[in-house]
Amino acid sequence: MRLVCQSRGKSSQVTSITASRRVDLVPTRAFETIDLIRFLAAAQVTWSHVWLVITPNLTPEMGPLWRAVFLTASFGQDAVRIFFVISGYWITRSVLRRIAANRWSWSSYLTDRLTRLWIVAVPALLLGGLLDILGRYVFDFSIYSNYAILDEAPIDLGERLTVPAFLGNIAFLQNIFYDTFGSNFPLWSLANEFWYYLWFPALILLLRQRAVIPGLMALITFILFFDSNVSGAFGIWLIGSAVYVFTEFVGGQLRQLPMVTRYGLGGLAGLVFLSALGFTRVVESSWLMDGLVVGAGFGVFLCAVILFDLGIPALARPGAVYGAGASYSLYVCHFPAMLMAIAILQQFSAFGVNLTTLFVALSLTLVLFGVGWGFSRMTENHTAFLRSKIAGRLRPTSLST
């Protein structure tokens, strides 16, 4: 298709060439890489939970092979920190672009954010609650009444199956004023995400437009939640904001470097991230400090991915597709499904640290990937449809701010 009309002359040709260069500078390959990272992070969280729940704790007499297996299951918290940084990048991009285009509206923004969260979280709460009730009160599996992981004290999951906890999780107040509902412990991070979705634009609007009321509400809730990890971990999330601002400032010129140079520098950035992970394994610190170190290391790598537009091989693209369409679903629904499966399997075998357990754990992890994908087809796959329906109802009466 001929894009430049001959009659428009050189000026039109220049415009066409400039536009094509702008298209080339969009980091499309990098976005696919980020989707793959989302899949790998969700997979890491799932594998960590499966292995640590199905096996006894690591003991000093276990050999180096099993220590290595336990090591692979030790990065679940780091995976959540990666999610925070990626979320900070995308939300910052969305907020700043809406404001720059004079399209900012709290109603539109909150519609987008809440539909994204609730369309998956509410069904996950219902499904998880049903599985937990069956496991705790119908089948009376011992893992539900005496649940423990790592060195934590055993708890009765039935005590967390309450209406206030359910409603508190829907309102994103888990680990602030309420427990996570039932066995679905991973839902703690959704509360963090929701409040960061509010705090960041409130802060930006306060600085740019002197919007005092949203800023004041953000400050009050930040102080009110200070005893939880919600306020502290906001610093990890803001690393993603810094990545967006920095990569936009540098622009796309580095994507024109030779491929060998781009991927070589990307590899060095990856080593920075791995070094951050290693540092937190060697130096003891608080959860927040570990998170800031890992978040900063990953932020360096994410900058490289975006600045150099680093792509992935064709074989890895199914993982990117999963990350884009189902990583959130896998994250929020895997734990109750996993716990029910392990409870059933324990009726037939006691799992030690051996090859049989490793095979069962890997197989269960793969099954949970399938569960997450199926769950996403019924939930987050319909996010755009739900948003359009809600936006259509709000449009006549919504007020831009």
Side-chain angles (χ1 to χ4, degrees):
M1 184 175 185
R2 197 168 181 82
L3 296 178
V4 181
C5 296
Q6 296 293 335
S7 60
R8 292 189 178 180
K10 292 183 178 180
S11 62
S12 188
Q13 293 179 24
V14 171
T15 302
S16 176
I17 293 171
T18 303
S20 67
R21 286 179 178 171
R22 286 174 183 165
V23 171
D24 290 339
L25 295 180
V26 175
T28 52
R29 291 186 293 269
F31 293 163
E32 191 177 42
T33 302
I34 293 171
D35 287 337
L36 177 62
I37 294 171
R38 290 167 60 192
F39 164 68
L40 294 175
Q44 173 61 48
V45 171
T46 304
W47 164 246
S48 296
H49 288 151
V50 170
W51 182 251
L52 294 177
V53 171
I54 204 172
T55 58
N57 291 343
L58 178 67
T59 57
E61 59 269 16
M62 291 182 184
L65 174 63
W66 294 114
R67 288 182 175 276
V69 174
F70 272 90
L71 179 64
T72 66
S74 68
F75 298 100
Q77 291 284 333
D78 298 311
V80 177
R81 292 157 179 156
I82 288 172
F83 276 129
F84 282 163
V85 175
I86 292 175
S87 173
Y89 173 83
W90 285 120
I91 297 303
T92 300
R93 184 176 189 268
S94 173
V95 170
L96 295 185
R97 290 192 171 202
R98 290 185 189 209
I99 293 175
N102 200 28
R103 293 189 297 106
W104 175 259
S105 163
W106 274 108
S107 62
S108 174
Y109 174 75
L110 290 177
T111 297
D112 287 351
R113 294 302 96 218
L114 288 172
T115 51
R116 169 65 175 162
L117 291 171
W118 275 337
I119 198 172
V120 180
V122 174
L125 285 166
L126 293 171
L127 175 63
L130 174 61
L131 292 174
D132 290 345
I133 289 170
L134 290 174
R136 176 63 181 88
Y137 296 109
V138 177
F139 301 116
D140 195 22
F141 292 138
S142 61
I143 196 172
Y144 285 89
S145 57
N146 193 38
Y147 173 81
I149 186 171
L150 298 177
D151 297 322
E152 296 178 1
I155 60 173
D156 183 349
L157 294 177
E159 297 177 356
R160 305 166 75 97
L161 290 168
T162 65
V163 172
F166 179 83
L167 297 176
N169 280 239
I170 290 178
F172 305 107
L173 294 172
Q174 59 269 36
N175 275 18
I176 301 173
F177 300 125
Y178 301 94
D179 292 325
T180 48
F181 183 64
S183 68
N184 210 337
F185 301 103
L187 293 182
W188 69 268
S189 66
L190 295 194
N192 293 57
E193 289 284 358
F194 171 76
W195 291 103
Y196 303 159
Y197 292 167
L198 295 184
W199 291 348
F200 179 76
L203 175 63
I204 294 300
L205 292 172
L206 176 64
L207 295 175
R208 289 195 172 192
Q209 301 178 5
R210 301 295 188 269
V212 176
I213 294 178
L216 184 60
M217 293 177 64
L219 177 62
I220 291 173
T221 50
F222 182 88
I223 295 172
L224 191 63
F225 301 162
F226 204 76
D227 288 338
S228 69
N229 75 350
V230 175
S231 298
F234 190 36
I236 304 172
W237 192 93
L238 286 174
I239 292 172
S241 301
V243 169
Y244 175 75
V245 172
F246 179 73
T247 54
E248 284 295 295
F249 175 78
V250 174
Q253 58 266 28
L254 296 180
R255 295 166 200 149
Q256 309 304 309
L257 293 173
M259 184 176 67
V260 173
T261 303
R262 290 187 293 112
Y263 280 87
L265 293 172
L268 291 176
L271 288 177
V272 172
F273 172 48
L274 293 177
S275 298
L277 287 173
F279 179 83
T280 60
R281 296 302 182 277
V282 174
V283 178
E284 287 192 15
S285 186
S286 65
W287 183 92
L288 177 58
M289 286 305 301
D290 283 350
L292 291 171
V293 170
V294 171
F298 177 70
V300 171
F301 178 63
L302 186 59
C303 278
V305 168
I306 295 167
L307 289 175
F308 303 128
D309 198 16
L310 303 182
I312 57 176
L315 287 175
R317 282 178 184 151
V321 172
Y322 193 108
S327 58
Y328 176 33
S329 291
L330 175 63
Y331 181 82
V332 300
C333 80
H334 78 274
F335 204 99
M338 174 206 73
L339 198 64
M340 175 59 75
I342 291 175
I344 294 172
L345 290 170
Q346 285 179 340
Q347 305 309 303
F348 303 95
S349 174
F351 293 101
V353 180
N354 51 52
L355 290 176
T356 299
T357 302
L358 179 60
F359 173 78
V360 171
L362 289 171
S363 300
L364 178 55
T365 301
L366 292 176
V367 169
L368 291 170
F369 289 171
V371 171
W373 179 261
F375 193 78
S376 74
R377 299 306 88 186
M378 296 182 287
T379 56
E380 63 181 295
N381 191 47
H382 303 285
T383 303
F385 173 79
L386 180 61
R387 282 175 177 168
S388 66
K389 287 293 184 182
I390 295 176
R393 291 178 177 273
L394 292 177
R395 193 173 294 118
T397 57
S398 63
L399 297 176
S400 297
T401 57

